[in-house]
Structures are given as structure tokens and as C-alpha cells.
Amino acid sequence: MSKKVKLIPMEITRKEASAMGLDPTDVRPVKIGSRLVYGLLIPAESEEQYRGIIRDIWAEEKRVERSRRCTIPNGHGKTKRCEGHCNQCEQLKTGSTISLDYMKEENGKEISEPIAETSSTILTAMLFQDLMDILNSQDPTLAEIFSLLYDGESQRSIARITGINAQSTVQYRIRRIRHILQQYVSREDIMG
């Protein structure tokens, strides 16, 4: 009686297989856990090797499945992972979590939506970084002065911090910063 060879699925593209010196025509659809991907079936050297690798694949599949589960109220003001049937759940189809309205109805608590405030902060930070990059490409001192102005420093303190001898030089560089930035940003961009 011959010993049955266990095959380990390995996800790989034809291009990757070719680069590794493998025959790209051997790459075919294989099932890894519950996913169907392109890959190879590699013979395991032993039952222990097969079980170890398959155990890791199953653990990853379980982790992904748990991460897709909805977060629902537990009835005590906290949340828990849903234990319902995901294939029948409306939330799973969109990949979204349960809405804030549902949480409010279930817990009776108003949940703030900081999304608008957060997105405004993120956009401001992105704009600031873009402007800093532009100034830094022109002259790193201009970027430093712009950053200090943004932080609310006076021209006198900027001169002291940067080691510029004259306040008039700081004023000149501020005008230069304004001129450079006007080339990239209009009032409509800032005011919306």
C-alpha cells in the first residue's frame, strides 16, 4: 500500500514562478482555505510539515473571517463581535460595520461623529506638508520660517530662532514665501 502524498497549496503568479525558475504552466487555480487563487501544489516532505503549514493557513482564514464580523452592542454599553450567520447578514454584504444609528437605538447613547472635524484636520495637515515641501525645495530656510509663522511666532522671534541678523531680512523672506505660495495655491483652494 503506497503512502498518500500531501500537497501544500502555495499562492504564486506565473510571472513569480518564472522568476523563481519554476514552470509557469504549472501555476493553476488552487484553493487556499476558502479562497481560490493561482498557485502551485507542493508535495509535503512529511505529515508534520503538512499539518504545520495547513494549521497556519486555517488560522489565517479564521482571523480574516473574524475580522469581517460586525461589531454589535453587548447590552452593557460596550460592543462585541456578532455571532450570527454572516452569510445571511446585510452588513457583511457591504463589508461595513453596524451604523451609528443602530448603536444609538440599541444603547440609547448619542455617538459623536468626528469625521468632518478629522477630515478637515487631515486636509489642513496635508496642505501644510505640501506647502512645506514646495518651500523646502526652493530654500530650506523659507520652510523653517513658514513653519514658525504657522506656529504663531513673531518676526522678531523668528529672526532670533533662525539666527537671521535683521528683522527686515525676515520680512523679505516672508514676502518671498507669500510670492512662491501664491503660484501654487489660490484663495479658492483655501476657502473651498
Side-chain angles (χ1 to χ4, degrees):
M1 193 161 115
S2 68
K3 188 177 179 182
K4 187 175 179 183
V5 176
K6 300 278 187 168
L7 299 174
I8 301 169
M10 181 177 98
E11 184 174 0
I12 190 169
T13 65
R14 285 189 170 98
K15 191 175 187 178
E16 292 168 336
S18 182
M20 294 172 68
L22 302 171
D23 185 1
T25 59
D26 290 341
V27 175
R28 59 191 169 130
V30 296
K31 197 167 186 179
I32 298 181
S34 61
R35 298 179 306 130
L36 188 61
V37 297
Y38 282 98
L40 297 171
L41 293 173
I42 310 295
E45 293 177 7
S46 66
E47 180 75 21
E48 292 79 31
Q49 180 191 35
Y50 173 78
R51 287 179 190 255
I53 292 173
I54 293 300
R55 187 179 317 118
D56 291 341
I57 290 171
W58 289 340
E60 178 63 15
E61 285 291 313
K62 189 70 172 171
R63 186 197 64 73
V64 168
E65 188 268 329
R66 277 192 308 268
S67 72
R68 293 182 66 204
R69 288 191 172 269
C70 300
T71 304
I72 61 171
N74 69 357
H76 303 291
K78 296 188 179 182
T79 59
K80 66 176 184 174
R81 294 255 184 230
C82 176
E83 296 169 0
H85 298 289
C86 290
N87 58 352
Q88 299 170 358
C89 180
E90 290 296 317
Q91 299 300 320
L92 182 68
K93 291 178 184 169
T94 63
S96 63
T97 57
I98 294 177
S99 73
L100 293 175
D101 294 332
Y102 179 82
M103 297 287 283
K104 181 182 174 187
E105 291 169 11
E106 200 60 30
N107 292 331
K109 294 180 181 176
E110 182 68 36
I111 299 172
S112 64
E113 295 186 58
I115 295 168
E117 184 178 312
T118 303
S119 64
S120 174
T121 303
I122 291 170
L123 289 173
T124 301
M126 289 171 61
L127 176 61
F128 177 77
Q129 189 57 52
D130 288 346
L131 297 176
M132 287 293 288
D133 291 344
I134 291 167
L135 292 171
N136 208 20
S137 69
Q138 300 277 327
D139 179 356
T141 307
L142 296 178
E144 183 181 8
I145 291 171
F146 180 70
S147 178
L148 292 168
L149 279 171
Y150 188 82
D151 291 340
E153 296 292 337
S154 67
Q155 290 181 14
R156 181 172 290 155
S157 64
I158 290 172
R160 183 178 38 78
I161 293 168
T162 58
I164 297 173
N165 294 333
Q167 191 175 338
S168 61
T169 305
V170 172
Q171 289 172 347
Y172 166 75
R173 290 195 175 159
I174 290 172
R175 283 194 304 274
R176 192 167 159 215
I177 290 168
R178 187 175 295 130
H179 176 73
I180 291 169
L181 296 182
Q182 283 175 344
Q183 295 173 10
Y184 294 95
V185 181
S186 68
R187 282 190 194 270
E188 291 79 31
D189 292 333
I190 296 171
M191 301 307 220

